[in-house]
Amino acid sequence: QIQLVESGGGLVQAGGSLRLSCTASLRTFSIYAMSWFRQAPGKEREFAAAISRSDRIYYADSVKGRFTISRDNAKKTMYLQMNSLKPEDTAVYSCAAVFEGLGSDNDYSAMTYDYWGQGTQVTVSS
């Protein structure tokens, strides 16, 4: 059974930092594109960041310059370093994985993902 497990969420003051992790039980983690999505209370889920199998990186405008996505294929883990956090970053953050062929050019904000994690709560107080 494939699992994506997020960790690292918590409560932080505005301006603070958190580092989220997403560990996958995928046999061939390296051939998956990985993304972070978030959902705030009463709002739709939104794309935050993605990293392709070839390490191309994409960010939503709302997190660009503050968040950094990375991956460690040997550990089958993806990370999201979140700095300069704002109250509007408060949400449940979920990771997602999608198999990606070589040379793919995908819209990671809108594509259908193969696997999702359960999410981790991030709360930023003002």
Side-chain angles (χ1 to χ4, degrees), residues 83-105:
N83 299 329
S84 303
L85 282 162
K86 305 174 182 179
E88 51 263 44
D89 294 319
T90 295
V92 174
Y93 285 71
S94 300
C95 61
V98 59
F99 169 78
E100 186 170 52
L102 286 173
S104 297
D105 184 14

Side-chain angles (χ1 to χ4, degrees), residues 34-107:
M34 302 293 296
S35 293
W36 287 100
F37 286 79
R38 64 185 186 180
Q39 187 166 19
K43 295 187 177 181
E44 293 189 354
R45 185 172 60 198
E46 66 173 4
F47 169 80
I51 183 166
S52 74
R53 64 177 287 178
S54 58
D55 290 338
R56 289 175 299 166
I57 288 175
Y58 305 86
Y59 296 105
D61 288 343
S62 57
V63 307
K64 198 174 295 182
R66 300 185 299 121
F67 290 10
T68 302
I69 191 172
S70 61
R71 65 190 297 164
D72 184 333
N73 289 337
K75 295 182 178 179
K76 298 185 178 182
T77 300
M78 171 182 63
Y79 305 97
L80 187 68
Q81 178 66 43
M82 305 187 295
N83 299 329
S84 303
L85 282 162
K86 305 174 182 179
E88 51 263 44
D89 294 319
T90 295
V92 174
Y93 285 71
S94 300
C95 61
V98 59
F99 169 78
E100 186 170 52
L102 286 173
S104 297
D105 184 14
N106 296 313
D107 179 355

Side-chain angles (χ1 to χ4, degrees), residues 4-50:
L4 301 182
V5 180
E6 301 95 339
S7 61
L11 174 64
V12 64
Q13 288 188 333
S17 298
L18 283 175
R19 188 195 195 202
L20 305 183
S21 299
C22 171
T23 300
S25 62
L26 297 163
R27 180 181 298 181
T28 50
F29 178 81
S30 63
I31 64 173
Y32 284 79
M34 302 293 296
S35 293
W36 287 100
F37 286 79
R38 64 185 186 180
Q39 187 166 19
K43 295 187 177 181
E44 293 189 354
R45 185 172 60 198
E46 66 173 4
F47 169 80

